[in-house]
Amino acid sequence: MLPLLTALAGAGCDAAGPVPPVPERATGPARAGAASTSPATGTPEGAAIDCSASIDRLDAPPPGFTVLAGAVALSTRTVLAAGPAGEPDGSLFAKSGLVVRADAAAELEVDAPTAVRARIGWGGPAEFDTRTRLTGCPDRSGWLVFAGGYRVARPACLTLAVRADGRDERARVPVGTGCS
């Protein structure tokens, strides 16, 4: 199995003391994969994952991954190790692959209230935001794997909204701590 699909990270963390919020992504000139604003709603659409950022193609999601909305597979059964992200804000990073059916348009969003303290990002390079989307890769088949993961201010059980194929499901992802 791909090592990138397993939870990796550095040393443990100490949750004592004040925990800074995870900052919004840096502002600046637009670039490929950068978040944009919906002309219809004026709300952020989140970071976009480009099909070319896929690191592998699978015939089916790997064992241990949960398939959501028939098109997205996430690691939800194992606590993901969260270690220092190397950012000045002291945030933590938990590495976990994202597996998406190649022909599917999908969106993942961190549900409130954890959205204040968490960001998600996959692709190369991953841009961390509270929402990420893939418009589908119709010229490919199977399931595409994207490297990335979760940035959190402290260990948390994140709830993600997963939308694809007209379906909306929720996933609970244990980042540095279990989900009860």
Side-chain angles (χ1 to χ4, degrees):
M1 194 51 52
L2 284 174
L4 290 172
L5 294 179
T6 58
L8 300 175
C13 56
D14 181 2
V19 178
V22 177
E24 294 291 335
R25 68 187 171 280
T27 58
R31 61 181 176 84
S36 59
T37 301
S38 166
T41 65
T43 60
E45 292 180 348
I49 303 171
D50 189 82
C51 295
S52 66
S54 171
I55 60 169
D56 201 0
R57 191 199 72 77
L58 305 172
D59 291 329
F65 273 54
T66 302
V67 177
L68 300 144
V72 174
L74 296 169
S75 178
T76 61
R77 299 178 191 145
T78 304
V79 175
L80 303 174
E87 299 292 330
D89 63 8
S91 61
L92 305 172
F93 176 71
K95 185 173 188 172
S96 184
L98 170 68
V99 182
V100 180
R101 202 180 72 231
D103 64 342
E107 180 179 289
L108 291 87
E109 183 173 10
V110 180
D111 271 359
T114 55
V116 172
R117 298 182 162 302
R119 300 289 181 266
I120 54 177
W122 290 276
E127 180 165 342
F128 287 84
D129 201 331
T130 57
R131 184 183 310 173
T132 192
R133 59 191 163 75
L134 179 72
T135 57
C137 307
D139 59 331
R140 304 216 184 147
S141 63
W143 292 75
L144 301 178
V145 180
F146 298 92
Y150 307 89
R151 263 185 69 196
V152 295
R154 66 174 183 240
C157 178
L158 300 181
T159 301
L160 299 182
V162 178
R163 297 175 194 90
D165 292 339
R167 295 168 60 186
D168 188 347
E169 293 189 42
R170 297 289 185 272
R172 293 180 56 156
V173 181
V175 179
T177 190
C179 294
S180 52

